[in-house]
Amino acid sequence: MIKVTAGTDAPERCSQAFTVASVAVASGVDVSLWLTGESAWFALPGRAAEFELPHAAPLPDLLDAILAGGRVTLCTQCAARREITEKDVIDGVRIAGAQVFVQEALGEGTQALVY
């Protein structure tokens, strides 16, 4: 489980989270990426394409890889604060809250990382 709290406000931390998640998916790990705080915007179509960080993999490619082999969840409260609804998000992104987060984070064999 990887929780990313940063977006364009902390681009290196944001990119690290997406990179680690995509490498984990490519390695066969069951990955759950949670978008919280400023990373919530990346649940919207086209927003990842606006992200730029020199010497980093393109965020849309990383997000596509994660969606292809893992789960991406947008925090319910973070979505509500930004007026993002289920009809707004990229296909494959779900909106869920703290109960689901805690259930996943405390699952047997789960390693949680926060960026």
Side-chain angles (χ1 to χ4, degrees):
M1 167 182 270
I2 298 169
K3 181 178 182 180
V4 56
T5 62
T8 57
D9 58 326
E12 288 182 310
R13 199 162 27 113
C14 176
S15 180
Q16 288 169 354
F18 279 86
T19 299
V20 167
S22 67
V23 169
V25 166
S27 299
V29 176
D30 181 26
V31 173
S32 178
L33 178 72
W34 280 73
L35 304 175
T36 67
E38 285 303 299
S39 72
W41 295 114
F42 299 126
L44 298 175
R47 283 318 239 332
E50 297 172 6
F51 181 87
E52 293 183 17
L53 181 63
H55 310 291
L59 203 62
D61 295 348
L62 298 174
L63 182 55
D64 287 346
I66 299 162
L67 283 166
R71 291 178 309 286
V72 178
T73 305
L74 171 58
C75 161
T76 301
Q77 290 181 2
C78 300
R81 281 191 276 282
R82 291 160 180 83
E83 299 182 359
I84 299 171
T85 67
E86 289 191 6
K87 69 178 176 22
D88 300 319
V89 299
I90 298 167
D91 286 341
V93 173
R94 69 178 175 167
I95 297 176
Q99 179 181 1
V100 175
F101 179 83
V102 169
Q103 182 180 21
E104 283 189 18
L106 297 179
E108 189 169 329
T110 299
Q111 174 66 49
L113 305 172
V114 178
Y115 288 88

